[in-house]
Amino acid sequence: MIRIQTEDFDVGAEIKNLVSGKGNIGGVCSFIGLVRDFSGNEPNGENITSLTLEHYPGMTEKQLEKIETQARQRWDLIETLIIHRVGQLQPSEQIVLVATAAAHRDAAFESAKFIMDFLKTEAPFWKKELGNKGAKWVAAKQSDSAKKETWENE
Amino acid sequence: MIRIQTEDFDVGAEIKNLVSGKGNIGGVCSFIGLVRDFSGNEPNGENITSLTLEHYPGMTEKQLEKIETQARQRWDLIETLIIHRVGQLQPSEQIVLVATAAAHRDAAFESAKFIMDFLKTEAPFWKKELGNKGAKWVAAKQSDSAKKETWENE
Amino acid sequence: MKVLYFAWLKEKTSLAEEDLPLPCGVSTVAGLMEYLKNRGGGFSDAFADITMIRVAVNMEHVQVSHPLSDSDEVAFFPPVTGG
Amino acid sequence: MKVLYFAWLKEKTSLAEEDLPLPCGVSTVAGLMEYLKNRGGGFSDAFADITMIRVAVNMEHVQVSHPLSDSDEVAFFPPVTGG
């Protein structure tokens, strides 16, 4: 399941809902991405006060569904969940939740990692940081593309 | 942190507590192990009605602490949590929670997997299944030892 | 053709989206980018370095050599930074 | 010496733990297992196939060649199945 929303999410409730009524689930792996809080700790003395997440409605869902489908083709999964927030977020707030449920733990771990690696490079979200030194668009990491390519070459 | 307990745990509250007040956390990876519910689906028609978890008090904590220490030596982790239940559990109940918090997602994913792989082979817990065809001690999986050895040979 | 701009491309062009006929002589994404760059002002700034820009046609990531038709939805944006 | 039994070893020996002097002539875990097996009854059954048994001395996993002293805590159990 895929959800794009401005509101926060309750990890415990989401996972409980994901596994409820499906007795063959042996394990759930989840990843929660948070807004890092650098208050006063940025190397350049910058203080980030908020983060704005922009996205491309329609394409976001399309890309996340494609990633979910690929994960389900690659591993034996019982349930998958991707929740991604958009709009303005404060330091320490939750940004993303990916959860995968499977009979066996390896499938759960690997697929959650796979979904995060592809989400980071394929899903059209952009972060803008607002700080005491002004606003700037976060630059993409080369390491994220490298992680995606590792999966493609497996 | 390590906790052995008979009571259930609240995944959302545990993760919230883990990250609270630590702003440098960028991601949390968690794994939840559940009692699988085979009601009527066991190949031999067996119906498992409950699971009893026995452990070796003292050694359990010692082994889990050692695993946590090894994970922290291997990856740059901000927080780690292991909760394992003992006593009698029903199908679909939660057995174990492992959560790792780090600045970057790879450290969180890898260390949570590492902790689960070592917990499965080093922590002195034993499962006994009670079903309509009687009680039996669960056999250890060869694949779990193989996973642990993969880490040791890295 | 519908053209969308996101993140700093939206800021530099001062435009989130526009309806545009496929310009005469343009048949690929690269051709459209060249056309937009020559519009001047914020567009010249936004499209100054096309190595900084990623493109989707009909919500799929494509290369700049991708062909275009008048019914396409084309989006320009920087490398994504979600998660 | 404190000796502990877990899971089906506890069931077969009908014993969770006992205090035992280090038996004369026993200096390793293997020697102790041989001694316990020769006790007869449930112990013979529990220690019939020692490849099924894992051992901890002072709460650390050890091989059967591990030496024993009278102050040790020794535990016998099947391969672990937690998680």
Side-chain angles (χ1 to χ4, degrees):
Chain A
M1 203 183 35
I2 285 152
R3 270 167 37 210
I4 313 296
Q5 60 189 47
T6 52
E7 322 86 71
D8 196 11
F9 47 83
D10 176 337
V11 176
E14 295 296 344
I15 291 177
K16 188 165 278 183
N17 187 46
L18 197 71
V19 304
S20 134
K22 292 133 203 157
N24 48 347
I25 294 174
V28 180
C29 181
S30 74
F31 179 81
I32 304 153
L34 304 163
V35 183
R36 284 206 266 164
D37 180 1
F38 289 112
S39 317
N41 293 321
E42 279 285 81
N44 54 2
E46 196 173 350
N47 205 335
I48 291 149
T49 50
S50 80
L51 189 76
T52 304
L53 264 150
E54 182 176 327
H55 80 126
Y56 179 176
M59 181 170 173
T60 311
E61 290 81 355
K62 191 171 183 178
Q63 293 298 319
L64 292 179
E65 272 159 27
K66 199 198 278 185
I67 295 168
E68 232 182 26
T69 302
Q70 286 169 348
R72 283 169 173 273
Q73 283 166 351
R74 206 159 173 150
W75 291 278
D76 200 358
L77 301 175
I78 297 163
E79 289 292 334
T80 56
L81 171 67
I82 306 174
I83 303 177
H84 203 295
R85 292 176 69 192
V86 291
Q88 209 184 349
L89 304 180
Q90 306 306 312
S92 296
E93 278 199 77
Q94 303 183 129
I95 303 172
V96 62
L97 171 66
V98 165
T100 54
H104 303 289
R105 74 181 184 284
D106 275 8
F109 270 115
E110 295 297 305
S111 60
K113 192 165 187 289
F114 174 93
I115 291 172
M116 278 305 302
D117 287 348
F118 276 75
L119 183 154
K120 283 266 179 186
T121 53
E122 305 294 301
F125 292 103
W126 301 275
K127 288 190 184 114
K128 190 178 193 178
E129 287 176 350
L130 191 69
N132 57 343
K133 298 201 175 174
K136 69 163 194 281
W137 291 97
V138 172
K141 281 192 229 160
Q142 187 53 45
S143 60
D144 283 330
S145 305
K147 280 171 202 166
K148 189 198 79 167
E149 279 157 25
T150 304
W151 289 110
E152 289 169 341
N153 297 332
E154 255 186 18
Chain B
M1 202 184 34
I2 285 152
R3 269 168 35 211
I4 312 297
Q5 60 188 46
T6 53
E7 322 85 73
D8 196 11
F9 48 81
D10 176 337
V11 175
E14 295 296 344
I15 291 177
K16 187 165 281 183
N17 187 46
L18 197 71
V19 303
S20 134
K22 292 132 205 156
N24 48 348
I25 294 174
V28 179
C29 179
S30 75
F31 178 82
I32 304 154
L34 303 163
V35 183
R36 284 206 267 164
D37 181 0
F38 289 111
S39 317
N41 293 322
E42 279 285 80
N44 55 3
E46 199 174 349
N47 206 335
I48 291 150
T49 50
S50 82
L51 189 77
T52 304
L53 264 150
E54 183 175 327
H55 80 127
Y56 179 176
M59 181 170 172
T60 311
E61 290 80 355
K62 193 172 182 177
Q63 294 298 318
L64 292 178
E65 272 158 27
K66 200 196 279 184
I67 295 168
E68 231 182 26
T69 302
Q70 286 170 348
R72 283 169 173 273
Q73 282 165 351
R74 206 159 174 149
W75 291 278
D76 201 358
L77 302 175
I78 298 163
E79 288 292 333
T80 55
L81 172 67
I82 305 174
I83 303 177
H84 203 295
R85 293 176 69 194
V86 291
Q88 207 183 350
L89 304 180
Q90 306 305 313
S92 295
E93 278 199 77
Q94 303 183 132
I95 303 172
V96 62
L97 171 66
V98 165
T100 54
H104 303 289
R105 75 181 184 283
D106 275 8
F109 270 116
E110 294 297 305
S111 60
K113 193 165 187 287
F114 173 92
I115 291 172
M116 277 306 301
D117 286 349
F118 276 75
L119 183 154
K120 283 269 180 185
T121 53
E122 305 295 299
F125 293 104
W126 301 276
K127 287 189 184 115
K128 190 178 191 175
E129 288 175 351
L130 191 69
N132 57 344
K133 299 198 173 175
K136 70 163 192 280
W137 291 96
V138 172
K141 281 193 232 161
Q142 188 52 46
S143 59
D144 284 330
S145 306
K147 281 171 202 167
K148 189 198 78 167
E149 280 156 26
T150 305
W151 289 110
E152 288 169 342
N153 297 333
E154 254 184 20
Chain C
M1 191 169 53
K2 191 170 167 186
V3 186
L4 307 173
Y5 307 93
F6 291 98
W8 53 257
L9 278 122
K10 180 168 70 178
E11 292 176 344
K12 290 192 177 182
T13 61
S14 304
L15 204 61
E17 69 174 86
E18 60 180 324
D19 281 307
L20 206 70
L22 188 62
C24 190
V26 168
S27 60
T28 64
V29 168
L32 179 62
M33 289 169 96
E34 188 61 24
Y35 167 83
L36 292 169
K37 183 180 173 176
N38 291 329
R39 269 185 171 174
F43 280 88
S44 298
D45 186 17
F47 288 89
D49 179 2
I50 65 161
T51 67
M52 306 290 284
I53 302 177
R54 299 294 174 269
V55 194
V57 172
N58 301 324
M59 302 185 177
E60 295 292 348
H61 296 282
V62 299
Q63 302 296 316
V64 294
S65 57
H66 194 84
L68 288 181
S69 84
D70 205 41
S71 59
D72 285 334
E73 174 171 309
V74 186
F76 296 104
F77 45 77
V80 304
T81 56
Chain D
M1 192 169 55
K2 192 170 166 185
V3 186
L4 307 172
Y5 308 93
F6 291 97
W8 54 256
L9 278 122
K10 179 168 70 178
E11 292 177 343
K12 290 191 177 184
T13 62
S14 305
L15 204 61
E17 69 175 84
E18 60 180 324
D19 281 307
L20 205 71
L22 187 63
C24 189
V26 168
S27 60
T28 64
V29 168
L32 180 62
M33 289 169 97
E34 189 60 24
Y35 167 85
L36 292 169
K37 183 181 174 176
N38 291 328
R39 267 183 170 175
F43 280 89
S44 297
D45 185 18
F47 288 90
D49 179 2
I50 65 162
T51 66
M52 306 290 284
I53 302 176
R54 299 295 174 269
V55 194
V57 172
N58 301 323
M59 302 186 176
E60 295 292 349
H61 296 282
V62 298
Q63 302 296 316
V64 293
S65 58
H66 194 84
L68 288 181
S69 84
D70 205 41
S71 60
D72 286 334
E73 175 173 308
V74 186
F76 295 105
F77 44 77
V80 305
T81 56

